[in-house]
């Protein structure tokens, strides 16, 4: 089974690489042969704050370096799942992609830290920590040898459990439920500690898995209910607020190194804008998603006591820090932000 899966994965990857090498250069650029195409892949829809921010980046680069570069943004898993896209970015088949921090921990263990449940005491603490280069630089540069570097982060809100027909009011309610998690060992362990049965799979497969009862629920931010239609199937969304997992924009190293100092400065300003625009759009998008889920999809929002969830997940902090002592100083710096911004302000 594992071998068939690996073969399937390799064929998939090979197909995408060949498609990108042969087919994409033929699209849309024949009249401007001297401009370098810069490809960015992501897995969200074109309505999503991520796509809006990347489109602003595309326009910004066009405005300032349009004689040399054309940015092309590929949404909706057009270039494959996030794992596929990270591998394409590693090899330089594409130049950038957005990956959830969750899946990056398989490329560098340093990323485990942002996957820890209940790491941040509040959204303010999360935002301040993610904006602090002393916290992010050791993580964002940890994949140099793997061929890519993180250049900025994007908000992906707070992750909460949602289920087809059983409201989750405490960890005990997760017992016996198959819950989709992202493909990361930390997430699988989190689910084990909370008592549910972890079912890792790519984001694009979740809707069908929910609809065909392969899984009983999933965990994600509110946008998954509306933008990905999960709220058409799942009627209970419980604010246990177990994680704030950022999305990360990663870049192929060879591409970044090929930029002149002047070009690099423009691209870096572009990353700053992606972060800023995405975060502004995020606030509006989450408000709209909550409203739509409640009014149109008839999703019921629940507010369980978080304490038993926090307690069940505590051993994961200890085991991750024990297995990777390098991240202890980063963890400690995050605790300082937690002390400054202790209230959940979601
Ligand atoms: C969020 C996140 C994505 C991620 C998805 C998932 O939507 O923004 O980057 O892929 O969750 O659960 O897989």
């Amino acid at each position: 089974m594992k071998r068939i899966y690996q073969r399937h994965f390799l064929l998939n990857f090979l197909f995408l690489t060949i498609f990108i090498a042969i087919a994409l250069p033929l699209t849309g650029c024949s009249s401007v042969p001297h401009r370098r195409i810069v490809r960015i892949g992501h897995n969200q829809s074109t309505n999503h704050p991520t796509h809006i921010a990347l489109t602003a980046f595309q326009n910004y680069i066009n405005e300032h370096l349009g004689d040399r570069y054309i940015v092309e943004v590929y949404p909706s898993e057009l270039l494959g799942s996030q794992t596929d896209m990270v591998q394409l970015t590693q090899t330089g088949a594409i130049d950038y992609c957005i990956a959830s921090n969750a899946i990056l921990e398989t490329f560098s263990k340093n990323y485990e830290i942002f996957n820890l449940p209940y790491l941040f005491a509040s959204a303010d603490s999360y935002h301040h920590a993610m904006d602090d280069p002393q916290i992010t630089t050791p993580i964002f540069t940890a994949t140099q040898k793997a061929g890519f570097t993180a250049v900025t982060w994007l908000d992906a809100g707070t992750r909460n459990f949602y289920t087809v027909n059983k409201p989750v009011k405490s960890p005990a309610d997760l017992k016996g439920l198959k819950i989709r998690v992202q493909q990361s060992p930390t997430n699988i362990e989190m689910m084990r500690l909370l008592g549910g049965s972890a079912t890792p799979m790519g984001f694009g497969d979740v809707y069908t898995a929910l609809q065909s009862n392969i899984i009983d629920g999933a965990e994600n931010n509110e946008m998954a209910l509306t933008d990905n239609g999960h709220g058409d199937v799942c009627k209970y969304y419980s604010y246990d607020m177990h994680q704030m997992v950022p999305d990360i924009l990663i870049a192929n190293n060879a591409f970044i190194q090929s930029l002149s100092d002047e070009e690099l400065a423009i691209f870096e300003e572009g990353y700053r804008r992606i972060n800023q625009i995405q975060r502004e759009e995020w606030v509006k998008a989450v408000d709209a998603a909550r409203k739509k889920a409640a009014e149109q999809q008839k999703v019921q929002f629940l507010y369980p006591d978080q304490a038993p969830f926090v307690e069940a997940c505590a051993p994961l902090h200890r085991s991750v820090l024990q297995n990777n002592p390098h991240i202890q100083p980063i963890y400690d710096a995050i605790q300082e932000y937690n002390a400054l911004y202790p209230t959940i302000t979601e």
Side-chain angles (χ1 to χ4, degrees):
M1 182 69 188
K2 197 173 167 204
R3 209 171 302 145
I4 295 175
Y5 175 79
Q6 278 172 345
R7 192 150 18 109
H8 175 78
F9 177 78
L10 279 175
L11 282 174
N12 209 1
F13 183 64
L14 202 65
F15 171 77
L16 277 166
T17 308
I18 294 170
F19 171 75
I20 286 161
I22 298 174
L24 294 189
L26 300 177
T27 59
C29 61
S30 50
S31 58
V32 276
H34 302 301
R35 293 196 283 166
R36 162 77 156 84
I37 299 178
V38 177
R39 298 190 181 97
I40 311 180
H42 70 89
N43 70 353
Q44 307 288 1
S45 79
T46 51
N47 304 319
H48 195 278
T50 291
H51 189 76
I52 296 171
L54 289 176
T55 305
F57 176 74
Q58 179 181 43
N59 294 338
Y60 180 76
I61 298 298
N62 190 36
E63 206 178 298
H64 291 86
L65 291 171
D67 55 333
R68 284 170 257 175
Y69 296 94
I70 313 174
V71 175
E72 293 181 350
V73 181
Y74 293 87
S76 312
E77 295 197 4
L78 277 175
L79 299 182
S81 68
Q82 282 189 342
T83 309
D84 292 332
M85 288 189 282
V86 172
Q87 303 208 2
L88 293 170
T89 309
Q90 273 187 296
T91 62
I94 63 175
D95 305 291
Y96 295 89
C97 77
I98 291 185
S100 170
N101 184 88
I103 65 157
L104 292 176
E105 75 173 35
T106 55
F107 295 87
S108 160
K109 275 164 72 72
N110 285 9
Y111 278 97
E112 282 175 356
I113 190 154
F114 299 138
N115 297 335
L116 285 177
Y118 302 107
L119 174 67
F120 300 108
S122 65
D124 282 343
S125 172
Y126 165 53
H127 294 154
H128 280 91
M130 292 305 300
D131 283 339
D132 181 344
Q134 285 194 333
I135 288 180
T136 54
T137 305
I139 298 163
F140 286 5
T141 55
T143 52
Q144 290 291 358
K145 286 202 184 114
F148 66 87
T149 307
V151 294
T152 191
W153 67 281
L154 293 87
D155 204 345
T158 307
R159 297 183 78 95
N160 301 288
F161 290 110
Y162 51 96
T163 44
V164 178
N165 50 29
K166 181 174 175 190
V168 174
K169 296 181 180 156
S170 75
D173 293 324
L174 288 164
K175 201 168 162 40
L177 296 189
K178 287 203 224 55
I179 303 288
R180 179 269 172 169
V181 293
Q182 292 177 283
Q183 299 116 308
S184 111
T186 306
N187 280 330
I188 294 170
E189 182 57 9
M190 173 186 77
M191 233 18 263
R192 193 188 68 76
L193 290 168
L194 286 168
S197 169
T199 310
M201 66 175 74
F203 195 37
D205 297 325
V206 181
Y207 180 82
T208 312
L210 286 168
Q211 216 185 22
S212 51
N213 296 320
I214 290 171
I215 52 176
D216 303 297
E219 47 81 52
N220 214 321
N221 58 59
E222 299 87 335
M223 290 287 293
L225 297 173
T226 53
D227 215 36
N228 305 92
H230 299 179
D232 293 341
V233 190
C234 294
K235 297 301 165 193
Y236 296 101
Y237 188 93
S238 294
Y239 277 109
D240 67 288
M241 301 178 83
H242 54 268
Q243 280 167 321
M244 296 177 194
V245 178
D247 280 340
I248 310 287
L249 176 63
I250 63 165
N252 172 266
N253 283 346
F255 175 69
I256 304 186
Q257 282 152 15
S258 75
L259 297 171
S260 69
D261 288 350
E262 175 225 352
E263 291 169 348
L264 183 63
I266 294 171
F267 273 80
E268 284 177 346
E269 172 57 19
Y271 308 149
R272 209 189 55 71
R273 286 172 185 232
I274 291 175
N275 174 277
Q276 187 197 333
I277 294 167
Q278 195 270 350
R279 286 164 68 178
E280 283 163 15
E281 292 294 324
W282 181 258
V283 177
K284 292 185 259 170
V286 167
D287 278 352
R290 275 189 189 144
K291 199 164 180 297
K292 180 176 173 194
E295 289 171 11
Q296 293 174 32
Q297 296 173 307
K298 307 290 176 214
V299 174
Q300 209 177 310
F301 289 96
L302 307 161
Y303 298 87
D305 176 13
Q306 286 167 23
F309 292 89
V310 177
E311 201 181 313
C313 293
L316 196 46
H317 287 222
R318 291 195 284 277
S319 60
V320 162
L321 290 169
Q322 249 163 25
N323 292 336
N324 190 0
H326 296 308
I327 56 179
Q328 183 73 52
I330 305 173
Y331 184 85
D332 294 342
I334 292 172
Q335 300 316 312
E336 287 175 25
Y337 282 113
N338 284 344
L340 283 173
Y341 305 100
T343 326
I344 299 275
T345 51
E346 238 298 84

